[in-house]
Amino acid sequence: MSTDQLADLSRVLYSPVTLLLYISAAIVCLYSLTTRVGLATGRSGKVAGANLQPVGLALAWTAVGAHVAHEVVRGLAQSRLPLGNMFEFTSLMALVLAAGGMVYLTIVRKRPELVGFVMLGAAVVVASAMLTYAAPGPLMPILDTWWRSFHVSVIVASAGVFTIGFLFNGLHLLRDTAERGLAEAIGSTPLPAGGAGEASDGPLATMTAEEALAGRVAPDEDHDGTGLPVAAERGAMRAAISPLRLAIGTFLGASTVSWVFVATPTATLGDGLTRALTINLTLVALALIARWFVPFLPQASILDGLAYRTIALAFFGWTFGTIAGAMWAEQSWGRFWGWDPKETAAFLTWIAYAAYLHARATRGTRGRGAGWIGLGAFAVLMFTYYAVNLVFVGLHSYAGLS
Amino acid sequence: MSRTDSAAPPEANPKVRPPRRGGDGPLGFVRDSVVMAWRWLVRMRTALYLLGLLGLETLLATVVPQEPNVGATVDAWRTGEEGPGTLVAGLIDLVGGFDVYGSPAFLALLLLLFLSLTACLIPRIRAWVRLVRHSRPPLTRNAGRQAVVARLTTDRDVAEVHQAAADLLQGKRWRVRTEDAATTNSPPAQVAAEKGLWSREGGSLLFHLSFYVLLAAIVFGQLLSFEGQRAVVEGERFADTPVSYWTYRPGRWWNETSHSGWILDLDQFHVDWVRDPLAPGAGQPTLFRSDVEVTRADGTTETTVIEGNRPLVIDGMKIHQLDWGYAPLVQVEVDGQLVYEDFVTATLTDAGHFRAAIKAPAADPDIGMDVFFYPYAPDNEAGEPVPTGAPFADAPLLLFQLFRGDLQLGRTAQTINELDTSQLDTTGGAWIREGAEVDMGEGVVVRFVELRRWVGFQVSARPQIPYLLLASGLLLAGLWPALYAYRRRLWVVAERHPGDGHTLVTVAGRAFQRPQTFDDEHAGFVERLADRLDASPLDADESSPATSVAAPAGDQGPGATP
C-alpha cells in the first residue's frame, strides 16, 4: 500500500469508524446502566436489556481496537510515531482516556457499568481532535528524537487520565447535589409507607398508587434504601439539579476554554465562533445527559474516590512528564526552564491539580470543594493545551495548523 | 500553664487558650504577632490560599508576554501597538506582570509559601519521627468489630496459628507484634500488625522536602552558572574567552578564569527542507547540522557534529546550536577605498526573508545599509528577480537601502541588525546577485562577494544540573508513596474452642486509606493463612470482602495525617 492510501485509511479508521464505535459503545453501555436498576420488567420476568452490558463492553473494546489500528496505520503512513502535532496528541489523549478508563473500570475497580461515560468522553475528545486535523507528514528535525516520544507520550497520557478524573469529578458533583436534594425531599415529604398516593405537597405528590407499587424493586447494591419508591427517588434526584442552571453553568465553564477558538489568529471569526459554540453546546448536552443518569450512578463518595485515584495517577504522570520536558529542554534548547508560555501553563496545571489534592486532604474543602477545584483544574489543563498552542506564541506552538 | 488530660470530658478542657507567659509591652506584642502569624501559616487552608495566589500569578505569566522571553512584544504592548492598550499595559506593569517571576510580589509569595511549608512540615516531621521510632501495632479487644473480618477454623493450636500468621506477615514486611494474654482484663492473645505506617506520610514529607533541594539548586545555579551566545560563520572559528561572546550572562559568582579557552571551528552547516510543494509538510525543515572541529584546552582535537538535540560538551561546557541564518559576504567601497568587508549575519523574519544591517563608520560620512536577503528569488521572463519566502538558497538576492549620515554608534541603543535612522538620510536602494556589484553613485560600490551560512551557538555551564536531577528524583520518589501507600492494620486472634477442640481464627483488618485495595489484600492474606493452616472458612458469607461494613469510603489526600 502506498503512503497516500495508508493516510486515507488512517483517516477513515479515525472518523467515521472509531468515532462511531465510541458513540455506539456509549449508547449501549449507558442504556445497560439504566437496566441494572430495572423498572421495566418484561412479561417473561427478566429485566429488559440486562444482557446489554457485555455487548456494550465488546463494542467499547472494539472501539479501542479500531483506535489503536488508526494510530498504527497513521504511524506507518508517515513512518514515525504519531506524536507530532495537535491532532495526534488529541487522538492519543482520547485513546488513553478510553483504554485507561476501560482497564480501570472493568479490571481494576470492577465497575463496568460506568464505562458508558468514559466512552462518551472519548467520543467527544475524538471528535474534538478533528478541529485540529492535520494530514500525516514529516517531523521538524528538532522534534525528531526519542525525548519527544517520551515527554509527549507521558504528558498526553496524563492528560487523558486527567480527563477520566474530570468525568468522575463532574459525575461526583452531580450525584452529590442529587443526594442532597433527595435527602431534602425525604425530609420535607411524608414517606409513602402504607398509604401510597396520599396527598402531599412534595415532588412525589403526582405519583399514583400504582406507580408507587410498581416501582418497588429489589434495591441495587449501591442503593442505600431511602424507603421511597424508585421512580419517586429518581424524580427527586433529578429535580435537585436545575437543568437551566446546569446548562448555563456548563456553557460558561466551557467558555473559559472555548474562547480560544474565537481568538485563534489563523481562523476566521465566524469559523471560531462556530467551533466555540459547538464545543459549548456539546458539553451542555453531555451535562444534561449526565443529569438524567444521576439516579443510576453509584454513591457520590465512590465517584469522589474514583476521581481522586485517577487524578492522583495523572498528577504523578504530569510531574514526571514535566520533569522529562525540562530535561529535554536542557538538551535541546540549552536551558531546562525558561518560563515559555507552555512551561508556565504546565506549571499552572500542576499547581491547580496540587491544589485539588491538598483540598481533598483539608477539612472543610473535602468533597464538594475539592470537586469544584478539580473541575477548575481541568479547565486549566484544557487552557494549557489549546490556548497556549493556538493563541500565545512560544516555543511550543506546534499545533501543525497553517 | 496547666496540662489537661485528653481523656477527661470536654467540659474539663478550657475552651480558650491559656493566657500567654510573655506579658505585655512591645516585646509581648511582637511575640504575639509572631505566634499568630505562625499559627496562620501552619493552617492547611493558608497553604491552599497561597497555592491559589501562585496559580493566579502563573496565569498572569501565561497570558501576558514576559519581558525576559519576548522583550520586543512587551515593548509593543507598552506602546500600544499590540495587546489590549496602554492603560491595561500600565496596570500590568504596576503589578509587575511583564516579569512575573522577577517581580517582588512573586518573591514575597515564594517566601510565604516556603514559610508556610516549613511551618507545616516541622510538626509533621516531629510527629512522623516519633511514630516511626516508638509506635508498635495496637492490640484489638474485639477483632469481630473491625472493618474487615474473616473467620477460619483449624485443628492447629493457638501458638502454631499465631506463629504462622506472624511468619506470613513478616515475609510481607509488616510490623508484627505477638502478644499473649496476660491477665483476664487485657486484650486476647493475638498477632497485631501494621503496614504503610511511615511510607505514606514519609513519602509526603520527602515530596515536600525536595522543594528545598530544588530551591537551593536553583539559587546555586543563579550564582554559579554561565551562558553566552555567539554567531559563527561557516569556515570561521570561535574561541572560548569572555570577550568573544556577543551576549555574556555570567552568574554572580561565575569566575572568568573558568573559561578554558577551547576553540571551535565551524566547517559547514547543513540545512534542508521538504522542497516538493505538493508533498505533506512542504516547506518544513528536515535537517539542521553543524560539522565542527573542536580543540580542547589540552590540545586534543576532535571532528564532530552538533545537532538540535545533540549538544556538544567540551571541558564541562555545553554547546547548543540554537539559531542559523545566511551570511552574505558584502564589500563596500567608497572612491576605491574598502570601508567595509564582512559576513553579514542576516536573521530570519516571519515573512520568510532574512534581515540584517551593515554599519560602516569607516566611511565619511558613515554608511548604513538596511539589508533584505531573499534566498530564493528567481528571475521572471523580463529578467527581474521575484522575491519569494522560500528558504533554500537556489537564487539568492540581496536587496538593500543605503543610508549616509551619522550611525550614532555607541550613543543610542541599537542591536547589531538594526539601524538608528534618526540621523541618517537614504540615498536610494538596489539589488545584487551573488558575485555581482552595484554602483550607487558618489563613488559608493557595493559588492555581494559570496554566500555562506552562520550558526548561532549557545555556550553554557550549569553546575546545578545534578542537584536539580536529585531534587526531581526525590520529588518523584516521595510523590508515589504519598499518593499510593496506605496505612492499614491486621489482627489475627486465635481461640481454642472449648467444645469441639477446633481453633477459631479471626483475621480482622482496617485500612486508613484505599479500603477497596485493602479488601483484596485482606482476602489474599486470609487465603494464604488458610493454606498454611489447612483451615477452612467458617462461613463463606462473612469471609468475603463484602463484609467491609464500616470501611471509610474514598481516600484521604496526600497530606492527611491519620
Side-chain angles (χ1 to χ4, degrees):
Chain A
M1 249 204 261
S2 78
T3 323
D4 286 348
Q5 282 172 314
L6 281 173
D8 286 345
L9 176 62
S10 84
R11 168 139 197 172
V12 170
L13 268 177
Y14 190 76
S15 164
V17 175
T18 305
L19 182 61
L20 285 183
L21 276 171
Y22 276 135
I23 292 175
S24 38
I27 291 172
V28 175
C29 288
L30 285 177
Y31 179 69
S32 78
L33 173 65
T34 66
T35 63
R36 283 175 70 248
V37 199
L39 271 184
T41 314
R43 282 203 198 109
S44 61
K46 281 174 90 176
V47 177
N51 297 330
L52 270 177
Q53 183 148 301
V55 178
L57 288 184
L59 265 175
W61 282 120
T62 316
V64 171
H67 202 158
V68 171
H70 154 77
E71 297 285 339
V72 171
V73 173
R74 193 176 164 100
L76 288 176
Q78 51 195 4
S79 32
R80 64 172 171 85
L81 284 181
L83 280 171
N85 57 43
M86 224 166 146
F87 166 74
E88 291 167 359
F89 302 153
T90 316
S91 169
L92 181 68
M93 198 170 124
L95 180 59
V96 172
L97 163 65
M102 285 293 291
V103 168
Y104 187 59
L105 286 176
T106 57
I107 297 168
V108 181
R109 290 306 278 273
K110 312 249 173 11
R111 290 205 168 265
E113 68 270 17
L114 293 176
V115 161
F117 295 101
V118 169
M119 289 296 119
L120 208 54
V124 171
V125 179
V126 161
S128 78
M130 294 308 285
L131 292 177
T132 53
Y133 185 78
L139 264 187
M140 309 276 265
I142 192 81
L143 293 177
D144 194 8
T145 156
W146 67 271
W147 275 110
R148 174 186 54 96
S149 323
F150 185 62
H151 161 66
V152 170
S153 54
V154 171
I155 284 284
V156 169
S158 306
V161 181
F162 272 139
T163 313
I164 306 177
F166 165 73
L167 291 176
F168 289 142
N169 236 331
L171 293 177
H172 154 63
L173 283 175
L174 281 176
R175 175 76 190 189
D176 192 58
T177 315
E179 282 176 7
R180 278 156 200 257
L182 183 64
E184 266 174 39
I186 293 166
S188 66
T189 324
L191 288 175
E198 275 177 4
S200 59
D201 48 14
L204 314 170
T206 49
M207 279 191 30
T208 64
E210 285 85 353
E211 271 175 344
L213 285 173
R216 286 187 190 277
V217 292
D220 182 48
E221 58 170 304
D222 300 321
H223 202 271
D224 38 6
T226 51
L228 286 185
V230 171
E233 194 185 299
R234 286 179 189 174
M237 282 192 144
R238 288 193 191 116
I241 308 164
S242 151
L244 193 66
R245 280 182 60 195
L246 178 66
I248 293 174
T250 312
F251 191 91
L252 293 180
S255 302
T256 57
V257 177
S258 61
W259 66 268
V260 165
F261 288 97
V262 183
T264 304
T266 50
T268 62
L269 186 66
D271 199 24
L273 275 176
T274 319
R275 285 177 174 198
L277 265 181
T278 313
I279 293 167
N280 285 5
L281 293 179
T282 311
L283 287 176
V284 168
L286 285 186
L288 291 175
I289 291 174
R291 172 183 175 269
W292 193 84
F293 280 98
V294 143
F296 305 106
L297 292 175
Q299 280 170 23
S301 58
I302 289 174
L303 290 167
D304 188 32
L306 289 172
Y308 171 69
R309 294 251 66 86
T310 38
I311 288 176
L313 176 66
F315 183 75
F316 184 84
W318 189 266
T319 311
F320 185 52
T322 309
I323 291 172
M327 286 160 79
W328 181 21
E330 169 63 25
Q331 197 71 5
S332 174
W333 296 328
R335 90 280 186 292
F336 53 90
W337 195 269
W339 298 114
D340 173 71
K342 194 74 176 192
E343 292 167 341
T344 316
F347 180 54
L348 180 62
T349 312
W350 190 84
I351 292 174
Y353 276 106
Y356 166 81
L357 294 177
H358 282 90
R360 228 174 151 282
T362 310
R363 247 173 226 107
T365 48
R366 195 171 291 164
R368 283 183 80 80
W372 284 111
I373 295 179
L375 291 195
F378 185 72
V380 170
L381 173 71
M382 289 293 107
F383 176 82
T384 302
Y385 184 50
Y386 283 107
V388 182
N389 284 9
L390 297 175
V391 181
F392 304 108
V393 177
L395 292 167
H396 280 81
S397 304
Y398 41 55
L401 303 175
S402 50
Chain B
M1 197 166 76
S2 64
R3 286 187 181 275
T4 49
D5 185 2
S6 61
E11 305 87 81
N13 290 320
K15 280 214 170 81
V16 287
R17 293 179 185 282
R20 58 176 185 268
R21 279 176 294 178
D24 294 323
L27 261 180
F29 175 75
V30 168
R31 195 185 141 274
D32 281 0
S33 312
V34 170
V35 169
M36 269 176 68
W38 189 257
R39 281 193 187 135
W40 181 76
L41 281 170
V42 172
R43 284 163 57 192
M44 190 73 172
R45 200 169 268 267
T46 308
L48 263 182
Y49 289 146
L50 291 177
L51 260 184
L53 267 179
L54 182 64
L56 278 181
E57 287 252 20
T58 307
L59 182 62
L60 193 68
T62 315
V63 178
V64 173
Q66 295 295 295
E67 207 153 15
N69 291 45
V70 279
T73 316
V74 173
D75 289 341
W77 275 48
R78 283 200 177 117
T79 53
E81 286 163 44
E82 270 181 55
T86 46
L87 182 71
V88 181
L91 283 176
I92 295 172
D93 243 345
L94 208 63
V95 293
F98 286 122
D99 183 11
V100 167
Y101 297 103
S103 69
F106 177 74
L107 287 181
L109 181 62
L110 201 64
L111 184 74
L112 271 180
L113 262 172
F114 269 90
L115 267 178
S116 159
L117 189 61
T118 313
C120 284
L121 285 184
I122 287 176
R124 277 178 66 188
I125 291 172
R126 281 167 57 184
W128 182 75
V129 169
R130 210 176 299 138
L131 193 71
V132 170
R133 289 180 57 186
H134 301 302
S135 128
R136 51 183 196 157
L139 301 175
T140 179
R141 280 185 181 274
N142 191 342
R145 278 212 300 245
Q146 294 296 339
V148 196
V149 179
R151 289 197 176 84
L152 303 167
T153 53
T154 177
D155 297 333
R156 316 286 174 87
D157 64 8
V158 171
E160 207 173 337
V161 170
H162 283 172
Q163 187 54 47
D167 283 353
L168 275 177
L169 288 167
Q170 256 150 4
K172 291 269 170 192
R173 291 184 294 115
W174 286 67
R175 284 180 176 224
V176 179
R177 170 185 178 191
T178 310
E179 199 79 10
D180 302 320
T183 62
T184 47
N185 208 18
S186 64
Q190 59 188 281
V191 174
E194 189 161 26
K195 198 177 176 182
L197 173 72
W198 59 271
S199 50
R200 189 183 180 95
E201 175 71 356
S204 175
L205 290 176
L206 184 64
F207 171 76
H208 287 101
L209 285 173
S210 70
F211 288 107
Y212 295 91
V213 182
L214 195 65
L215 185 72
I218 288 170
V219 171
F220 174 68
Q222 289 289 326
L223 294 172
L224 278 173
S225 66
F226 154 77
E227 192 182 293
Q229 276 155 3
R230 164 74 199 244
V232 183
V233 178
E234 285 172 313
E236 301 209 324
R237 72 169 25 180
F238 162 70
D240 169 45
T241 55
V243 289
S244 56
Y245 290 97
W246 287 4
T247 60
Y248 189 73
R249 284 199 293 269
R252 193 157 293 194
W253 292 348
W254 172 257
N255 194 338
E256 288 198 355
T257 57
S258 308
H259 291 281
S260 65
W262 45 262
I263 294 165
L264 179 127
D265 289 280
L266 175 62
D267 293 336
Q268 213 181 353
F269 173 67
H270 304 272
V271 55
D272 204 1
W273 302 265
V274 179
R275 298 200 184 204
D276 179 2
L278 298 175
Q284 262 189 34
T286 53
L287 173 73
F288 291 122
R289 197 182 77 225
S290 304
D291 293 346
V292 297
E293 190 181 317
V294 289
T295 312
R296 292 199 169 78
D298 57 14
T300 55
T301 62
E302 184 190 346
T303 307
T304 177
V305 295
I306 304 180
E307 282 178 300
N309 288 299
R310 270 177 63 191
L312 177 67
V313 180
I314 312 177
D315 296 344
M317 285 190 176
K318 243 185 211 168
I319 305 173
H320 287 88
Q321 163 195 289
L322 282 195
D323 203 4
W324 75 280
Y326 285 103
L329 177 60
V330 178
Q331 288 178 344
V332 182
E333 274 180 16
V334 181
D335 303 329
Q337 287 278 324
L338 199 62
V339 295
Y340 182 89
E341 179 181 23
D342 206 354
F343 288 99
V344 183
T345 51
T347 51
L348 184 63
T349 63
D350 290 339
H353 61 266
F354 292 76
R355 288 213 47 185
I358 289 174
K359 300 173 190 181
D364 186 29
D366 294 352
I367 286 181
M369 284 165 65
D370 206 357
V371 177
F372 296 77
F373 179 77
Y374 290 88
Y376 185 64
D379 286 344
N380 62 7
E381 288 97 3
E384 285 164 352
V386 184
T388 69
F392 33 90
D394 285 356
L397 175 81
L398 198 80
L399 269 167
F400 64 90
Q401 183 143 36
L402 192 73
F403 293 90
R404 310 254 357 213
D406 184 1
L407 287 168
Q408 305 188 78
L409 288 179
R411 268 171 287 148
T412 57
Q414 44 184 300
T415 64
I416 194 163
N417 280 340
E418 200 174 59
L419 284 182
D420 185 340
T421 55
S422 58
Q423 301 286 322
L424 292 173
D425 293 314
T426 176
T427 58
W431 56 267
I432 0 173
R433 292 283 186 191
E434 186 177 358
E437 62 176 44
V438 59
D439 191 341
M440 296 300 293
E442 297 174 33
V444 177
V445 175
V446 179
R447 212 171 284 131
F448 174 8
V449 183
E450 63 164 305
L451 183 64
R452 289 191 194 172
R453 301 186 186 92
W454 62 267
V455 178
F457 287 112
Q458 175 189 282
V459 179
S460 59
R462 296 191 211 283
Q464 74 268 44
I465 296 279
Y467 302 97
L468 286 170
L469 284 176
L470 173 75
S472 310
L474 291 178
L475 190 99
L476 290 173
L479 185 55
W480 188 261
L483 294 171
Y484 283 93
Y486 58 109
R487 187 175 170 189
R488 64 274 199 198
R489 292 178 182 154
L490 259 184
W491 295 274
V492 178
V493 184
E495 286 160 315
R496 200 75 182 172
H497 198 278
D500 52 9
H502 285 301
T503 302
L504 177 69
V505 185
T506 308
V507 184
R510 163 166 196 246
F512 290 78
Q513 294 96 13
R514 305 186 68 183
Q516 283 96 341
T517 315
F518 178 67
D519 284 347
D520 294 344
E521 190 181 15
H522 177 261
F525 174 73
V526 171
E527 207 170 292
R528 277 195 307 279
L529 188 67
D531 267 1
R532 183 75 81 89
L533 298 173
D534 298 324
S536 50
L538 194 61
D539 47 60
D541 289 339
E542 264 188 292
S543 60
S544 77
T547 45
S548 56
V549 271
D555 300 39
Q556 281 157 20
T561 38

